[in-house]
Amino acid sequence: MGHAEIARRFVKREYPQAEAVVLAGSTARSERTSTSDVDLLVIGPAGMFAAGEDSRAATSAFDDEVFEVFAYTPDAFTRWVERGLAEHRPLLLNMLIDGIPVRTGPLLESLRACWSPVRDAGPRVDPHELDVRRYIVTDVLDDLRDATDPLERHLLAALLFERLGQLLLLDAGRWLATGKHLPRYLRAWDPDRTARLTDPLLRGDTARFLAAAEAELEALGGRLQAGFVR
């Protein structure tokens, strides 16, 4: 039995009133691992929730699968989407647009039509935010250069990759990513520039990693420190 069919049975039992259900995440992308759960976006009326609630994030076991459910009323979905957009991470929109419909209808169609152009347009980033992020990258870069403790150097290198990688994405008009998704987003954006950062990082060559990070920072406008007002 396929995961979409298992999801339909799960929704029928747990969210029978749902108007729109989408199977998302690694299951929808056919990238499951031995520990993958099943991500579900569920949208429907307030009757799906306890009194006073309009959203729920819950983990449930069903038919030998673990379901990670993100359930909302339409209004709550809009509110949480807007919060994600403000953080430049449209996670719910990715689920909505890229996932596999499990329960479809007018609501799902209208939501996809409404939000697809917003996601396609990319993030709207204030120039001051980019400067703040450049200031932070400058600070972390200096901390790494000065660090002598091996554990500190290891952690600071990872932090520098994360902060610089996110700055590169935003500067390029791309959405943010964290964790395992950050290198995937960076490689999709520019595999060559990403490799110039990741190759020395993976080899533990801190000097070359610092040089590559400095070059990217310079391309973004250079160091930002003295005189900057956050």
Side-chain angles (χ1 to χ4, degrees):
M1 183 181 299
H3 288 95
E5 180 56 33
I6 296 173
R8 289 188 186 95
R9 293 174 51 239
F10 171 78
V11 170
K12 183 177 181 180
R13 188 188 77 172
E14 299 293 331
Y15 298 93
Q17 297 173 278
E19 299 173 54
V21 181
V22 178
L23 177 68
S26 60
T27 303
R29 297 191 302 270
S30 299
E31 297 175 351
R32 287 175 59 86
T33 68
S34 60
T35 59
S36 293
D37 51 26
V38 180
D39 292 339
L40 276 186
L41 174 64
V42 179
I43 306 173
M48 296 194 309
F49 305 97
E53 295 182 354
D54 60 4
S55 64
R56 177 185 303 148
T59 305
S60 302
F62 178 82
D63 203 5
D64 297 323
E65 294 287 350
V66 176
F67 282 83
E68 194 76 24
V69 180
F70 303 87
Y72 307 89
T73 64
D75 287 345
F77 178 76
T78 296
R79 187 174 70 250
W80 280 92
V81 163
E82 289 174 344
R83 181 180 297 185
L85 293 174
E87 297 172 351
H88 314 310
R89 297 182 63 213
L91 302 181
L92 289 180
L93 292 189
N94 293 339
M95 297 178 74
L96 173 76
I97 297 164
D98 298 334
I100 298 172
V102 171
R103 182 174 293 180
T104 188
L107 178 61
L108 180 58
E109 293 171 3
S110 65
L111 287 172
R112 282 182 160 179
C114 172
W115 290 111
S116 290
V118 175
R119 190 189 67 163
D120 292 346
R124 292 184 293 179
V125 188
D126 184 277
H128 182 70
E129 179 180 346
L130 293 177
D131 286 344
V132 171
R133 289 176 177 272
R134 186 153 55 98
Y135 173 89
I136 292 171
V137 168
T138 302
D139 187 56
V140 178
L141 195 152
D142 286 346
D143 283 347
L144 176 57
R145 179 176 287 107
D146 294 340
T148 57
D149 181 272
L151 179 57
E152 289 183 11
R153 288 170 66 84
H154 180 81
L155 294 174
L156 285 167
L159 180 60
L160 177 57
F161 176 79
E162 178 185 61
R163 298 298 172 85
L164 177 57
Q166 291 178 342
L167 175 57
L168 287 167
L169 289 173
L170 286 181
D171 184 76
R174 299 292 189 110
W175 295 108
L176 285 187
T178 60
K180 65 184 181 183
H181 297 288
L182 179 57
R184 298 173 184 177
Y185 276 43
L186 286 168
R187 287 168 178 148
W189 160 65
D190 192 317
D192 292 333
R193 289 174 70 177
T194 301
R196 285 197 289 271
L197 287 171
T198 57
D199 288 353
L201 180 64
L202 292 173
R203 288 198 297 268
D205 189 340
T206 304
R208 283 193 60 202
F209 175 61
L210 279 167
E214 283 273 19
E216 291 294 349
L217 182 59
E218 188 63 29
L220 294 168
R223 296 173 57 83
L224 190 56
Q225 203 163 41
F228 177 63
V229 178
R230 299 189 296 281

